[in-house]
Every structure is written in C-alpha cells, then in structure tokens.
Amino acid sequence: MSVGGGQGGSSVSDEEWERFLRESVDGAPGAPEEPSARARVVARRLRENPGKPETWRAYSPARPKRRKAWYAVGLLSAVALLVVAVDPGRVAGWFGAGDGAGEPLAAESERPGGPPSAETALRPSLEEPFRGSPAARWASGTVGITVPAAKATGWMSTAQVEQALNRTRDFLAASSLDPGVLRGERPGRAIALINPRQQDVKDFLSTAFRAPDEENNPLLLFSRFDDARVRLVGDEVRTRGRITYREGERGALQVAADVTYVYPVTPAAGGGEVARTVVRREVVVNWDDPAKVVTVPGTLSLVSYSVDMTNGGCGAVTGYLTPQFGAEQPVDAGAGRRVDPYDRSTPMDERMRKSAGEECGTATRS
C-alpha cells in the first residue's frame, strides 16, 4: 500500500488551497460576511418565536494542550541496531521471506497488555526496511488505523459521526502519511481541516513553519523530513493504532487517535544504510456543534496533541525529523528514561508524565 493509502484524492488545486488558507487567516478581501450558523439559528428562532429572548451563548473552541518526548536510539556497539534478547522458541517460524515476519497482526481494537516480543537482530535493508522490528507485522498507511463503527453521539447522527471519523482519519493521513508532507512540504490539506477560528492554533502554525522553536515545533502535529538530508525507503509507512470517540462538552463529538508510525529512511547522499524513525502521536479533536461553538462547519477543533519520537532528533529544533545513522548514533543517548517505542500498552498521558523534564531519553530499539 502506498504511503498516503486511504487518504483519497482531491480535485482542489494547490492555488485554491493556498487561497483558502490565506482567507482563513485574513478573510477574503471585500467579501461580504455571511451570518454564522449560530446567527442563522438565532434569526430563525426569533422569527418563529417573536418576543422570546435567546438565553444561550456561543463558546470559543477548546485551547489545545501540547506535550512531547524525544528519544534517541541507544546502541551497545557501533552498529545500526541494538541487539536485543530473543526467545528462540517463540520466534521460530516467524522469519522467512520478505520483512522476516510471519502473519500480519490483527487490527488493534483495544490497548495491548504489554510491549511486542523481542525480535532477532536482523538489520534493515533497502529491500526489507522493516526487518528486525515489530513493524514487520504491521499494516501500512491508514489500513493500520482502526476506525470504530459509528453511532449517533452528541449533536451528530450516525451518518455524521461516520463522516467525522473518516475525516479524522483523513487528517492523520494528511499530517503523518502524505508523501509530499513527508518530503518537507507544508501540510496544506491537513491545515485546511483545522478550525480556523482557533486563534492560538493559527498562531502556532504560523510560527512553527516560519521560525520553529521548542514551543512551536511542527513535529508536534506533522511528520516531515528534510529531503536534502534523508529520503524515505520505499512507499510504505507502517502504522498501528486506533481511533475512539465519545460525547464531549456542549454535545461535541470528541475523537481521539493514538497511532504509532514507523518511517524507514536512508541518507539522501546514498550508501544504502537504513534507519527507522518511530513517532507515536495522540491527537484529540472536537467536532463541535456550530450552533454552540465558534467553528467552521466541516472542520475539527484541536483539544490536545502529544508526540513521542524515537530517532527523530534531540538537538536544536529545525522543524524536521532528523534521524541519525550508524556511527552518528550514541552508545548511550543520555541518562534519561529507557523506552521501547513499539510499546503501546502505556497510555500517552502516563508516558508524558514519566518523561517530563527530560531533554532526551533512550529508546531500546528502533
């Protein structure tokens, strides 16, 4: 499956996207202002019930919370992968052709009870970039992201919930799987799905791509590599994760996505060496009722977003994932906590709390 699999095509030109994004920030010059959905509801109620005062109010969208944790890959020796312990009995029969894995894993329907089992110390290659990692048995692209069955929730009907879940998955694809974005391009289609009435998010996005820093880092939401330094190996990104939903404040449909992405990369200059960058993101969004919250219909409001990144860079913020290869990787990345990036059994909240205050921890494998 291709990197952007499941995302779907778009008939909107780049110029139209740019105009949309520009007008979302500045407003269309000279354009008349159409009454908001809330205003239209108010007007209709006043016509139907003259003399009855309106007693409800509109709320601003949620102010999102941002959290992050970076990890480097600690090595026992100057090789590309950490050699880990292995259970020969369990692994026997798993490894054959292809990535060195057996049957693909079933879709993730709930949080696993523990980390994946240890793999043999098989090094990745240009032909088999996921070999020697749990991702060898994962699905590709959006196929690895479990989307639950829809049912009416909050202000949305079953059909509307289904559409919102699909659009949330589209946002994940546009922000973390789109081939152009992975090559370092601006994630215009993902940004277009974000409620432009979230002023703090607009400010964050403006700064993150113009002058990224610790607090305004596009990697919190988007996966981007500098294609002058590295390139992706093949056209697959392996994924594992799931989407859940519930009713949020003021009847909103609140959708949470917890997904781990595995990106195999090689130096742009050549040489054939392959490393992997592992990014786990949890994104929580509201699909708000336009009659109650200041929003643009068809867009999501960010509630929170967390990122846990392995072999993506622990130094100065550049706005790009900056994986290290071979001898570049430290024997011990630091005194921080040691983490298995493939372990999805620990909730992101707990992982963020444990890594609070650490500049860069150490991942046990990549």
Side-chain angles (χ1 to χ4, degrees):
M1 178 177 178
S2 66
V3 168
Q7 182 179 350
S10 173
S11 60
V12 181
S13 69
D14 291 339
E15 291 76 11
E16 288 173 315
W17 279 113
E18 287 298 323
R19 185 172 66 255
F20 172 87
L21 295 174
R22 184 171 60 254
E23 291 177 359
S24 294
V25 176
D26 302 324
E33 294 186 3
E34 181 185 5
S36 66
R38 180 176 69 89
R40 290 194 295 271
V41 171
V42 171
R44 185 177 68 247
R45 289 182 181 177
L46 289 176
R47 287 196 302 270
E48 295 172 352
N49 302 283
K52 284 193 175 184
E54 282 293 324
T55 58
W56 58 279
R57 57 176 295 190
Y59 293 84
S60 297
R63 183 181 181 88
K65 299 177 181 178
R66 294 177 277 169
R67 300 169 300 182
K68 58 187 180 295
W70 305 152
Y71 300 97
V73 180
L75 302 181
L76 296 183
S77 59
V79 296
L81 291 177
L82 173 67
V83 178
V84 295
V86 67
D87 179 348
R90 181 165 184 172
V91 174
W94 278 15
F95 300 99
D99 281 321
E103 291 297 318
L105 292 179
E108 183 179 283
S109 59
E110 59 185 14
R111 189 178 305 284
S117 60
E119 309 290 335
T120 55
L122 297 175
R123 299 179 64 176
S125 67
L126 294 175
E127 295 75 24
E128 300 173 294
F130 300 101
R131 183 171 60 177
S133 81
R137 301 180 66 205
W138 291 7
S140 301
T142 55
V143 177
I145 305 173
T146 305
V147 179
K151 62 180 180 179
T153 304
W155 72 284
M156 286 187 163
S157 66
T158 297
Q160 289 172 315
V161 170
E162 182 177 15
Q163 183 181 53
L165 294 176
N166 289 335
R167 286 185 176 175
T168 302
R169 183 186 57 193
D170 290 344
F171 175 78
L172 301 179
S175 58
S176 301
L177 295 172
D178 181 88
V181 175
L182 295 180
R183 290 193 300 267
E185 297 175 9
R186 188 180 178 91
R189 286 168 175 76
I191 293 173
L193 285 169
I194 300 174
N195 177 13
R197 302 294 185 261
Q198 283 191 285
Q199 186 60 50
D200 52 333
V201 175
K202 286 164 57 177
D203 293 342
F204 162 74
L205 293 173
S206 176
T207 303
F209 291 102
R210 185 185 70 255
D213 58 29
E214 194 69 27
E215 294 301 316
N216 299 282
N217 190 341
L219 299 181
L220 292 169
L221 276 174
F222 312 105
S223 291
R224 310 167 73 233
F225 293 90
D226 182 355
D227 64 355
R229 182 178 181 273
V230 299
R231 65 176 178 86
L232 286 165
V233 178
D235 61 356
E236 282 190 298
V237 172
R238 294 290 171 92
T239 58
R240 189 155 182 85
R242 66 195 184 283
I243 290 174
T244 57
Y245 67 94
R246 66 180 184 87
E247 182 175 349
E249 293 185 6
R250 292 177 284 281
L253 176 72
Q254 185 165 107
V255 182
D258 181 352
V259 182
T260 301
Y261 307 87
V262 183
Y263 305 100
V265 291
T266 190
E273 185 179 352
V274 176
R276 287 184 290 257
T277 294
V278 184
V279 177
R280 180 181 175 187
R281 281 198 184 88
E282 182 184 69
V283 181
V284 181
V285 306
N286 276 352
W287 292 91
D288 290 308
D289 183 350
K292 296 180 181 178
V293 176
V294 180
T295 186
V296 173
T299 64
L300 56 85
S301 295
L302 290 164
V303 176
S304 67
Y305 40 99
S306 305
V307 63
D308 189 282
M309 183 178 71
T310 294
N311 196 24
C314 284
V317 175
T318 65
Y320 297 101
L321 294 163
T322 55
Q324 295 179 309
F325 298 90
E328 298 175 337
Q329 295 177 338
V331 173
D332 192 342
R337 203 167 49 90
R338 305 186 78 85
V339 170
D340 179 354
Y342 293 95
D343 183 2
R344 295 184 44 78
S345 65
T346 303
M348 284 291 279
D349 280 346
E350 182 179 339
R351 181 165 284 191
M352 292 298 107
R353 284 196 301 270
K354 289 181 177 179
S355 64
E358 293 182 359
E359 181 176 349
C360 187
T362 303
T364 58
R365 54 180 168 178
S366 71

